Amino acid sequence: MSPQLPRVNAAQVVRILEKLGFELTRQSGSHRIYKNSVGKRVTVPFHARKILHPKVLKSIIIDTGLSTEEFIRLLKGS
């Protein structure tokens, strides 16, 4: 059983993505699209302080290729 997802906002997710080597490539409305050197793409709905829905956060974690535990570890390290 995987651990419970943390309650995070988009800014916190972006900090983790940037730690992992993702760079902002473009923005479409409130959605920011990040890519890394391998070509993985992650879309983050960016609304300053609004908490991301757990399903959206889970999708972002899957897109990065991390496990939930690894994501939480990176979150605590920031």
Side-chain angles (χ1 to χ4, degrees):
M1 191 166 113
S2 64
Q4 185 175 0
L5 289 172
R7 295 178 50 85
V8 296
N9 60 32
Q12 292 171 299
V13 171
V14 166
R15 277 196 296 274
I16 291 173
L17 290 177
E18 289 174 346
K19 269 189 201 178
L20 295 171
F22 284 84
E23 295 180 356
L24 179 65
T25 55
R26 65 187 181 92
Q27 183 168 341
S28 178
S30 62
H31 290 79
R32 294 183 180 181
I33 292 88
Y34 290 83
K35 285 188 181 178
N36 67 3
S37 59
V38 181
K40 282 190 177 184
R41 186 182 79 163
V42 179
T43 302
V44 179
F46 199 88
H47 303 281
R49 291 186 169 92
K50 189 174 177 187
I51 300 295
L52 293 175
H53 189 280
K55 287 183 180 181
V56 173
L57 180 58
K58 185 65 178 173
S59 174
I60 291 170
I61 292 171
I62 290 169
D63 289 346
T64 60
L66 295 174
S67 68
T68 304
E69 294 85 4
E70 291 170 324
F71 180 84
I72 293 170
R73 201 171 311 118
L74 285 169
L75 183 64
K76 288 180 181 178
S78 61

